[in-house]
Amino acid sequence: MKKKIVEVTKVETIAQDTIEMTLAAPGITTGIQPGQFVHINVGSNSSHLLRRPISIADVDLMEQTVTIIFKVVGSGTAQLGQYKVGERLEVLLPCGTGYPIDSINMSKALLIGGGIGVPPLYYLGKKLADQGIEVISILGFQSSSNVFYESKFNQLGDCHVVTDDGTYGYKGYVTDVVDQLSLKYDYYFSCGPTGMLQAVTNKLAYQDGYISIEQRMGCGIGACYACVVPTNDGTNGFKKICKDGPVFRANEVVLR
Amino acid sequence: MNLQTRLPGLDLKNPVMPASGCFGFGREFSELFDLNQLGAIIIKAATKEERYGNLTPRVAETSSGMLNAIGLQNPGVERIIDEELSNLRSYDVPVIANVAGSTVSEYIEVTKVLTSKAKVDAIELNISCPNVKQGGIQFGTNPELASEVTYHVKQASGNVPVYVKLSPNVADIVGMAKAVENAGADGLTMINTLTGMQISLENRTPVLANKTGGLSGPAIKPIAIRMIYDVYQHVSVPIIGMGGIMTAEDVLEFLLAGANAVAIGTANFHNPTVCPEVIQALPHVLNKYGFSSVEDAVGKGHEHETNLSRA
């Protein structure tokens, strides 16, 4: 993990309140695993003292860029969304522990993303597809106006979109689509709101899988113990989301 | 420019150190800068047994600050010594160990282990954590209890100096400072966080799982300055000042108020390399305001007072 000054090279609203931003700097892509995040200093001392952790959606080794996608949910992400092409941001990256794809033996992967949990699965899917692994995606959104990256995921393999209100794709939740498709795969990889991850890990309790979780963070580098998740090993212990995660084995931690 | 600062038990190459709880045990920050640049390191609180801390969310951003309620999560004093202190000892930086507890005997026991087995350079006696029911704040808001625990820890620490970390959540900070000074404290660190709360409009519930948390950051700096200013006039032991420091200018303000050294806490989250940056900027700032050393500036904010008397 390094501290870097990066240049914003692209800002685009790709769905309702959802911004895709590309960051460039020499060496920015070094050592990035899918599932890791960028910890961004979004503003001045007084307005936004805490950084905002945003997951990495894509990496371009040739152009030396990292793409992030975030939803404007509060004043911090709103301020981040105000940055324009050519402006500079100070970031820490890559942060956290991503999906251990090099140590997993598989031929078919299922990606299950919900809302703003979709972005890290794109870079993951791309890396898996590069390795010749078949990639199937189920992407859940609230409504048609929230849908993004469907065509990009379609380039990786079959992609199924589901919306809560049925205004686009299937109607219902990602777990309903899992039921309907009765897919065969070796591992699943999921990222999304806690409620969705609970439903997914319960439904797929007998499948090997990895989940990525989010939490309010302090330092973002493992020093302050703010973003922890209870472990599932009966020790009453905690894992640090920002350092041990945000990616965990599905049965490694307790979601609540 | 001479940045050296001498405090009981602590020979500091400069007066800037990370504050307890905001720097872990230094491991993560050592990826970003050479820890040898620091004046000292105050490590995260140690308790006798492992503590798992509070439920999440544990932090919330506020105007010019943040709330935290970690709950003293730590692996226990023995594992801190085995897993962390040996690593920190590879740096040429004094280590100050923050000691927390629920009872006087726990404070004594943790102090004994840290001073005998780990040879830390100083103890910071944490009687001011607002985030656990039995985490010391009961000692930090009552002068008699503060005095009692300070006395016993001082007896247990041998030659290792004891700095008592004061809570700002009291009506009479000078009374607290005098009480621990009279009980034998070698120095004071101040201030810890102020108890606060933030309520979510969407959920109609406090944002932090612990409901309340400790407010830190620039929002509390004027309170820290006022309390150090007042305490400086009534005690003679040195003060390590903290509370919202972000810049070298802030450091000078604390020195003027009466601090001999400073700790930087929340700013490490905003900018993890803030400590070396402040250290680098400090000579220029001291020079700009007419000081030739750190020690030269300590307490200089009091010179306008005609009847300044130190107890």
Side-chain angles (χ1 to χ4, degrees), chain B residues 33-106:
Chain B
F33 68 91
D34 180 3
L35 301 187
N36 285 309
Q37 296 172 77
L38 297 169
I41 293 176
I42 312 182
I43 60 173
K44 185 163 172 55
T47 52
K48 184 168 164 253
E49 311 289 348
E50 181 169 18
R51 283 193 68 117
Y52 299 110
N54 295 325
L55 296 178
T56 55
R58 291 176 169 187
V59 290
E61 192 174 70
T62 65
S63 300
S64 302
M66 65 176 279
L67 290 164
N68 91 83
I70 307 296
L72 296 179
Q73 183 178 355
N74 80 96
V77 65
E78 296 284 354
R79 274 179 56 202
I80 288 176
I81 291 173
D82 292 345
E83 295 167 17
E84 303 292 350
L85 283 175
S86 51
N87 172 55
L88 269 184
R89 276 297 173 211
S90 63
Y91 298 96
D92 177 28
V93 176
V95 173
I96 303 172
N98 184 291
V99 173
S102 308
T103 61
V104 172
S105 62
E106 185 181 356

Side-chain angles (χ1 to χ4, degrees), chain B residues 170-253:
Chain B
V170 295
D172 178 12
I173 192 72
V174 171
M176 290 299 300
K178 282 177 155 174
V180 298
E181 181 185 41
N182 290 334
D186 297 283
L188 305 171
T189 63
M190 59 189 291
I191 57 176
N192 207 320
T193 55
L194 288 117
T195 309
M197 182 186 278
Q198 188 175 70
I199 296 177
S200 158
L201 304 187
E202 288 88 4
N203 305 328
R204 303 179 185 182
T205 153
V207 171
L208 298 180
N210 189 55
K211 296 184 198 163
T212 60
L215 179 67
S216 62
I220 73 166
K221 197 186 83 178
I223 299 169
I225 295 289
R226 181 266 293 182
M227 288 188 159
I228 291 165
Y229 187 95
D230 283 351
V231 165
Y232 177 79
Q233 299 195 351
H234 293 93
V235 303
S236 51
V237 293
I239 298 167
I240 301 175
M242 62 198 70
I245 294 174
M246 304 287 290
T247 65
E249 283 80 0
D250 294 337
V251 173
L252 177 55
E253 192 176 345

Side-chain angles (χ1 to χ4, degrees), chain A residues 47 73 120 202 210 217:
Chain A
S47 59
V73 290
N202 285 339
Y210 287 84
M217 288 185 185

